[in-house]
Amino acid sequence: MGYREIKVTTHSHTQMINITGQVREIVSQSGIISGVCYIYVPHTTAGITINENVDPDVVSDIIYVTAKMVPWEDGYSHIEGNSAAHLKASLMGFSQAVFIDGGKLVLGTWQGIFLCEFDGPRQRKVLVKIIEG
Ligand code: ZN
């Protein structure tokens, strides 16, 4: 088995997009009852994280704090001018792994999986690979 791809169109410069539903769908279609689901972003200015999916203020606050931690302009060297996006993507990381049990993702009640866009809007992809076991 290879991997599946989720296409995501981002609409803002900085945005966290809940992709939990699409990942759940891939897990469900796989028919795998027990295993691990890897979620990987093959980009350098977008990351992937797991956090609260209920109160949207949590996402807003994460975006707010990361913008304070990593200002867009700060005398960076990178000629493309988007060093802050590269740095924030590295802070979030480029992959997550979630167990699968009973054919379902083992996420906490409040947890969702988010693609983190830091240099949008763009077309992004998220790769999902499921390992049975
Ligand atoms: Zn760059």
Side-chain angles (χ1 to χ4, degrees):
M1 187 178 169
Y3 58 83
R4 296 278 304 275
E5 186 175 311
I6 299 169
K7 286 183 169 41
V8 181
T9 303
T10 64
H11 298 286
S12 306
H13 184 264
T14 304
Q15 188 179 8
M16 287 173 64
I17 297 154
N18 189 337
I19 58 164
T20 314
Q22 290 104 304
V23 179
R24 278 194 213 280
E25 186 63 28
I26 290 170
V27 170
S28 168
Q29 287 170 0
S30 76
I32 288 170
I33 301 302
S34 177
V36 179
C37 178
Y38 290 97
I39 305 117
Y40 169 66
V41 177
H43 299 290
T44 61
T45 55
I48 195 110
T49 194
I50 295 175
N51 216 301
E52 173 157 340
N53 69 357
V54 180
D55 179 1
D57 286 346
V58 173
V59 160
S60 306
D61 287 346
I62 291 171
I63 290 170
Y64 168 72
V65 171
T66 50
K68 277 208 301 189
M69 288 166 62
V70 188
W72 188 254
E73 306 258 353
D74 199 10
Y76 305 117
S77 300
H78 178 44
I79 194 88
E80 199 186 7
N82 62 352
S83 280
H86 288 290
L87 215 141
K88 287 193 259 187
S90 275
L91 288 176
M92 289 296 171
F94 299 98
S95 65
Q96 294 289 334
V98 181
F99 302 154
I100 299 167
D101 192 55
K104 294 185 178 352
L105 287 173
V106 183
L107 285 170
T109 309
W110 306 96
Q111 287 184 317
I113 303 162
F114 293 87
L115 169 71
C116 306
E117 174 63 83
F118 294 117
D119 198 16
R122 294 185 192 218
Q123 279 290 123
R124 298 295 196 177
K125 54 189 176 185
V126 178
L127 309 182
V128 178
K129 185 171 182 73
I130 296 170
I131 309 290
E132 193 169 18

